[in-house]
Amino acid sequence: MMDWSPLILTFKLAIITTIILFLISVPLAFWLASTSSRSKPIIETLVSMPLVLPPTVIGFYLLVAFSPSYAIGSFLERTMGFHLVFSFEGIVLGSIIYSLPFMVHPIQSGISNLPKSLSEASFVLGKSRWTTLIMVLLPNIKTSIVTGIVLAFAHTIGEFGVILMIGGNIPDETRVASIAIYDQVEALNYDTANQYSLFLFIVTFVILLTVFLINGGYIKHWR
Amino acid sequence: MSLDVECSIRPGQLITLYGESGAGKTSILRMLAGLMKPDGGKIEVSGELWYNSQINLFKKPQGRSTGYVFQDYALFPNMTVRKNLEYALSARQNRNIIDELIEISGLGDLQHRKPDTLSGGQKQRVALTRSLVKKPKLLMLDEPLSAIDHKMRIRLQDYILKVHKQYNLTIILISHDVSEIFKMSDEIYFIKHGKIIQKGSPLELFSKKHIRGKFQFIGEVVEISKEDVVFIVSILVDNQLIKVVIDKEIAEDLRPYDKVLVASKAFNPMVQKIG
């Protein structure tokens, strides 16, 4: 009998990560798309780093940073009771950092591709930047938002390295599907590994297919 | 190129900025609207400072009482025509203005349509109407009618003149169309390389130096035809077609849609009471 808990944990992680990422990425992407600040290239680089860095590097630094034996980790634990190493909160944070570019980039390019006159017209009509973002910009980049949400979700499902480094392999806490597969293969339980793998394969296929259908205009409603 | 402009406009006037593209006309409008920050200087509108570099004051576009009609209309694609207008309402404003403006602009039949389904002329009418919702002190129109066909252009010009009078608006218009300028403006500022090189009434600027006529009208060439040995040009002046005999040299120089000045000076006009 297949143990469903790693799969449930995987989707719980992906949903929470995606929601938090969305809330962070919208203002960040808006700022990146509209600023002329000198710090923009640096922030853009940092956001994109997870695309090229091995996940183990991110995982390693998070592990060191949040370990209770170092300053940040002990501070968080003392003040807020956050224990970020080998815990669910820790892998949520790792996932947020790791999937950040997948959410920020589509939203940022969606906003940049809208005519500048839309936000300027809104400003001249007396509306604040925030109102303009919510009422004018976001409703006109629905496909970019869907792309960002789906990619961040799918990418979080596919995570391995970051979680292994910072979360380890604790049942119901950090043992997500990708870790469970690795675990089963090591124990030579190829059947169980295959069940998990096939399940992930199908789910990610469906998710990505949806994105391409929407962006290719096959699903008319969103266009 | 540096932009260096000094002028003052009386309230209720309709001013046209005229000049080559790249002369700085749009930048002037953008600075007045607060969408672009000048390097230095002062902008004051009916006693209210909008910009003063000496005391480091810069009012954001939200804080200025302006309307701005963009070249690409900038209608919000996610909202219907009516929602586009309602979006422009300020928090405490009476909503009746929306119905009043829909009435004046004749947008009633279109109010529930989305902008993508409208023609260029209709979009422009919506954009103009939307800019009036918050009753701006200063309305700026950046080549509002350049991409619109002739018949619609005339209607929109009439609409602009109508709201100009009705709401006693001060309007700054960018236009390249000489007959439009004649019809609409009180005064023209001729901008070149970022400076006002001439200003005056349309008649002073466009025709004074060339002909001293007793009678003159601006019209548009409709067609040029050759009949036996003479050339006849048909010119549209204020919806009336006039046929005039012209010389071969002039005929070769004219093309349909050219703007021309029709003037006569060698005869005594007859005045007859009608009606």
Side-chain angles (χ1 to χ4, degrees):
Chain A
M1 187 58 197
M2 185 168 82
D3 176 12
W4 285 91
S5 63
L7 289 170
I8 294 167
L9 190 66
T10 302
F11 286 102
K12 187 177 148 198
L13 174 69
I15 290 168
I16 293 175
T17 303
T18 306
I19 292 170
I20 299 176
L21 256 181
F22 180 71
L23 298 177
I24 298 173
S25 300
V26 165
L28 181 59
F30 181 42
W31 182 77
L32 285 172
S34 53
T35 187
S36 49
S37 155
R38 279 201 198 152
S39 56
K40 180 185 167 182
I42 293 177
I43 305 292
E44 267 186 316
T45 308
L46 284 174
V47 169
S48 304
M49 288 287 274
L51 291 174
V52 288
L53 269 187
T56 39
V57 173
I58 299 169
F60 172 67
Y61 280 125
L62 288 176
L63 182 67
V64 171
F66 296 135
S67 155
S69 17
Y70 291 91
I72 304 174
S74 67
F75 172 78
L76 285 175
E77 191 150 1
R78 263 188 293 115
T79 53
M80 285 179 279
F82 273 148
H83 187 75
L84 290 173
V85 174
F86 304 120
S87 73
F88 184 71
E89 291 80 18
I91 61 173
V92 168
L93 186 75
S95 306
I96 288 170
I97 293 171
Y98 188 48
S99 295
L100 191 61
F102 292 87
M103 184 72 92
V104 172
H105 286 168
I107 298 179
Q108 184 187 342
S109 70
I111 295 175
S112 308
N113 286 336
L114 286 176
K116 230 184 150 204
S117 60
L118 285 188
S119 41
E120 290 180 340
S122 176
F123 296 158
V124 173
L125 292 173
K127 307 301 171 189
S128 67
R129 284 169 62 82
W130 186 246
T131 309
T132 304
L133 176 67
I134 304 290
M135 302 296 287
V136 175
L137 302 181
L138 292 185
N140 288 311
I141 56 159
K142 278 184 197 154
T143 53
S144 309
I145 292 173
V146 172
T147 307
I149 287 175
V150 172
L151 285 181
F153 188 85
H155 191 244
T156 308
I157 290 178
E159 229 175 302
F160 179 73
V162 176
I163 296 189
L164 191 67
M165 291 298 277
I166 189 177
N169 181 10
I170 303 162
D172 290 327
E173 186 73 26
T174 64
R175 187 192 283 165
V176 294
S178 57
I179 306 273
I181 292 166
Y182 180 72
D183 209 32
Q184 296 296 334
V185 171
E186 264 197 332
L188 300 176
N189 291 331
Y190 286 1
D191 278 350
T192 321
N194 184 33
Q195 283 166 354
Y196 287 143
S197 303
L198 193 63
F199 191 84
L200 284 192
F201 184 91
I202 293 169
V203 168
T204 40
F205 179 83
V206 169
I207 290 174
L208 290 177
L209 183 66
T210 316
V211 177
F212 288 117
L213 286 179
I214 289 172
N215 283 359
Y218 297 102
I219 300 176
K220 286 275 150 53
H221 176 72
W222 289 99
R223 282 267 134 190
Chain B
M1 184 191 86
S2 73
L3 187 60
D4 181 8
V5 169
E6 188 178 348
C7 64
S8 81
I9 298 169
R10 271 185 285 120
Q13 271 201 312
L14 198 155
I15 300 293
T16 301
L17 304 183
Y18 177 84
E20 290 165 16
S21 46
K25 304 184 297 297
T26 299
S27 300
I28 294 174
L29 293 198
R30 292 178 63 80
M31 286 174 187
L32 287 171
L35 296 170
M36 201 171 157
K37 199 171 177 175
D39 296 328
K42 199 171 126 181
I43 300 172
E44 194 179 327
V45 176
S46 49
E48 205 177 285
L49 265 181
W50 285 0
Y51 174 71
N52 188 344
S53 55
Q54 277 173 350
I55 55 169
N56 213 4
L57 177 116
F58 176 76
K59 262 205 175 169
K60 290 196 169 144
Q62 287 92 339
R64 304 183 181 201
S65 174
T66 55
Y68 198 112
V69 174
F70 292 82
Q71 255 175 304
D72 65 354
Y73 321 126
L75 298 178
F76 308 132
N78 56 313
M79 303 178 197
T80 61
V81 168
R82 194 183 178 88
K83 288 266 182 297
N84 261 282
L85 303 183
E86 284 174 354
Y87 181 78
L89 284 169
S90 58
R92 268 162 281 131
Q93 203 175 346
N94 188 338
R95 301 180 75 85
N96 293 342
I97 179 92
I98 301 292
D99 288 318
E100 182 187 323
L101 283 170
I102 285 180
E103 172 84 39
I104 294 173
S105 60
L107 285 170
D109 294 340
L110 305 174
Q111 59 176 314
H112 300 300
R113 301 243 307 254
K114 289 270 181 76
D116 333 339
T117 66
L118 304 179
S119 71
Q122 292 169 330
K123 283 183 190 171
Q124 191 55 277
R125 197 140 42 102
V126 178
L128 261 161
T129 311
R130 186 180 66 182
S131 69
L132 301 174
V133 171
K134 66 172 208 179
K135 298 195 177 156
K137 280 182 190 148
L138 180 62
L139 179 63
M140 288 168 279
L141 312 171
D142 189 354
E143 290 192 54
L145 308 175
S146 56
I148 288 167
D149 69 72
H150 185 78
K151 217 170 132 194
M152 192 48 136
R153 206 186 308 161
I154 304 287
R155 284 184 57 192
L156 283 166
Q157 288 166 356
D158 294 339
Y159 178 48
I160 295 172
L161 287 174
K162 185 169 144 192
V163 295
H164 172 55
K165 285 213 181 71
Q166 182 150 352
Y167 294 105
N168 195 25
L169 285 168
T170 309
I171 299 182
I172 304 180
L173 169 82
I174 295 180
S175 178
H176 290 290
D177 184 340
V178 178
S179 65
E180 182 170 297
I181 293 173
F182 263 87
K183 179 172 172 183
M184 315 264 301
S185 11
D186 298 317
E187 206 171 21
I188 305 174
Y189 290 5
F190 192 173
I191 316 278
K192 199 169 184 180
H193 301 304
K195 290 182 181 59
I196 299 176
I197 55 165
Q198 247 184 321
K199 67 178 187 175
S201 75
L203 215 58
E204 283 170 352
L205 238 71
F206 286 118
S207 54
K208 194 171 146 193
K209 289 182 196 97
H210 309 298
I211 302 171
R212 287 185 184 281
K214 285 176 176 162
F215 264 85
Q216 49 191 35
F217 305 101
I218 298 291
E220 191 176 276
V221 175
V222 177
E223 84 169 327
I224 302 139
S225 59
K226 187 171 186 286
E227 284 178 23
D228 299 329
V229 288
V230 295
F231 286 87
I232 293 178
V233 59
S234 311
I235 300 167
L236 191 68
V237 180
D238 265 348
N239 297 330
Q240 272 197 54
L241 205 62
I242 303 174
K243 290 193 183 231
V244 184
V245 178
I246 48 168
D247 293 342
K248 187 166 179 268
E249 293 88 67
I250 297 175
E252 279 166 353
D253 201 32
L254 286 180
R255 299 275 173 280
Y257 301 114
D258 279 350
K259 299 278 179 280
V260 289
L261 183 76
V262 186
S264 71
K265 52 180 175 178
F267 66 93
N268 286 323
M270 203 165 69
V271 179
Q272 200 169 31
K273 192 175 169 185
I274 49 171

